[in-house]
Every structure is written in structure tokens, then in C-alpha cells.
Amino acid sequence: QSALTQPASVSGSPGQSITISCTGTSSDVGAYNYVSWYQQHPGKAPKLMIYDVSNRPSGVSNRFSGSKSGNTASLTISGLQAEDEADYYCSSYTSSSTNYVFGTGTKVTVL
Amino acid sequence: EVQVVESGGGLVQPGGSLRLSCSASGFSFNNYAMNWVRQAPGKGLEWVSGISGSGGSTYYADSVKGRFTISRDNSKNTLYLQMNSLRAEDTAVYYCAKAGNWNVYFDYWGQGTLVTVSS
């Protein structure tokens, strides 16, 4: 099972919007509405930001939103803030024996 | 408040064994699947293993199948990962992660415990 493909880095200025893509296959992202997104600051544990493609857990800012089209999911961060600078990983349930697959990770830089 | 706290990491020689533990609180432990996810130094996240709430079903990544064993003690609200025949490529921070509804995402993570496999 190969990792989902994400851009290595995305950057934006404070207040701007950025979008991170997450490309999989018809066995994972394309097959299920079970894409989730995680934020990880350096030296910290990952934090759930989006689940089931577009749902936000309680306490997560509404500046974070998720969507999916075909085999590609996306995370959009609007009104970019300095605290959003972190690594972001997508994940999907998969029909393969591994059950779950993560993305390659994207480093978000706030200019 | 949901909390999961890992322990048991350390330095081990190639071919050796180690058992990780994850103590959980703040939720009905036996009602939720639990997972182990690891992150090699400077690398991305990799799902390692998962177990159903009852402990009756277990799942493994191909990279650890046959070497790692996941288990849980619901009377102690504790998750375990027995790691045998360790290799250098198993070096990573190991996170314990609670599964969300339908066991298709991970909603709470521990702070991680570092496992280093080296001679």
C-alpha cells in the first residue's frame, strides 16, 4: 500500500487561503468518505482537524475545511495565521490489508 | 477529558524485544478500537496496528506482521504492543491513538514514546 500523495510544502501570507491536496486511488480516497486530516507541530503529537472528508471535531477552528473529488481530497485553511504553521497529514481508510494509509505530509509555512 | 499516555520505549539491540503500553482514561475504553501509529525520525506517519474494542479482532501493517502483537486489557484500560525481532527500520516515535466512530480516523493521540533499535 503506497502512501497518499501530498505536496511537500505549501506557503501563504497571513490572512490568505491555502489548499493542500491528497491524492490516492480507487481503493482508498476514491472508495470511501473516510478521509481525515491531522496537524502536527514540531515535537508534538498529531491532532485531528477533519474527519469523514469534511467534518470538524469540536474545538477546531472553522477556518479549516475539507472536501473530496474522485481520488483527491483537499484541506483548505482560510485566514491563514502564524499558529497554522505545521505539518499536515491526510489519511484514508483503505480496502487493502493495511486498513489505513497516511499521506506523505505537507509542511505549511506562513510567510 | 480523554487522555492516552504511552510508556515503554527505549534503546534495544537489533533482534531484541520491547513491549509498549498505553494507559487510557476519560472514555469507555472497551467501546473503542485502539491503534498504534509510528513516525520515524524526520519522516511521515505510518499506521502499525489496530485492535477492536473487545480485543477480538487485530490488524497489522505488512511491515510488522509476524513480529508485532497488539493486545489490550480492558480491566486496566491499557493497550499494549509487543515488538519482537526488532530492526533498525523500526526506530520511531510510537503513538497510541484512539479510534473515532466507525474506526476510520484517530481522534485522540498520546505524546508518543521513542523506540531506538541500534547496536
Side-chain angles (χ1 to χ4, degrees):
Chain A
Q1 176 72 49
S2 298
L4 308 176
T5 301
Q6 298 180 231
S9 62
V10 173
S11 61
S13 299
Q16 286 187 330
S17 293
I18 61 170
T19 297
I20 303 168
S21 61
C22 168
T23 302
T25 70
S26 56
S27 296
D28 39 62
V29 175
Y32 307 97
N33 287 325
Y34 295 145
V35 176
S36 50
W37 289 89
Y38 304 88
Q39 177 192 65
Q40 186 180 35
H41 287 108
K44 301 296 186 182
K47 175 187 175 183
L48 177 67
M49 304 302 285
I50 295 286
Y51 67 95
D52 295 352
V53 176
S54 60
N55 293 312
R56 273 188 315 275
S58 174
V60 172
S61 170
N62 59 8
R63 297 186 297 104
F64 292 84
S65 61
S67 63
K68 191 189 87 167
S69 178
N71 294 340
T72 298
S74 299
L75 174 72
T76 297
I77 308 174
S78 58
L80 200 60
Q81 299 180 0
E83 67 208 49
D84 300 332
E85 189 163 288
D87 293 326
Y88 291 82
Y89 294 91
C90 61
S91 179
S92 175
Y93 185 79
T94 170
S95 59
S96 78
S97 60
T98 59
N99 286 27
Y100 308 98
V101 59
F102 282 97
T104 50
T106 298
K107 181 176 180 59
V108 169
T109 301
V110 181
L111 302 172
Chain B
E1 179 191 7
V2 172
Q3 283 195 321
V4 289
V5 180
E6 306 92 339
S7 60
L11 175 64
V12 61
Q13 292 188 338
S17 298
L18 207 58
R19 188 176 84 155
L20 306 183
S21 299
C22 170
S23 178
S25 61
F27 63 100
S28 297
F29 185 69
N30 62 322
N31 284 345
Y32 291 92
M34 297 292 293
N35 296 268
W36 289 98
V37 177
R38 70 184 179 183
Q39 186 171 35
K43 302 297 184 181
L45 301 172
E46 179 190 15
W47 176 79
V48 172
S49 182
I51 187 169
S52 61
S54 67
S57 297
T58 57
Y59 311 90
Y60 299 94
D62 290 342
S63 58
V64 307
K65 201 170 294 182
R67 301 187 299 121
F68 290 11
T69 301
I70 191 171
S71 63
R72 63 192 296 161
D73 184 338
N74 286 345
S75 69
K76 296 182 178 179
N77 286 3
T78 302
L79 174 72
Y80 303 100
L81 185 68
Q82 177 67 44
M83 304 185 294
N84 298 331
S85 303
L86 283 162
R87 307 166 180 168
E89 54 265 36
D90 295 319
T91 294
V93 174
Y94 284 72
Y95 294 102
C96 168
K98 172 185 171 291
N101 292 338
W102 306 110
N103 194 23
V104 292
Y105 58 89
F106 314 106
D107 57 0
Y108 290 94
W109 298 62
Q111 84 288 349
T113 187
L114 176 62
V115 173
T116 303
V117 184
S118 175
S119 55

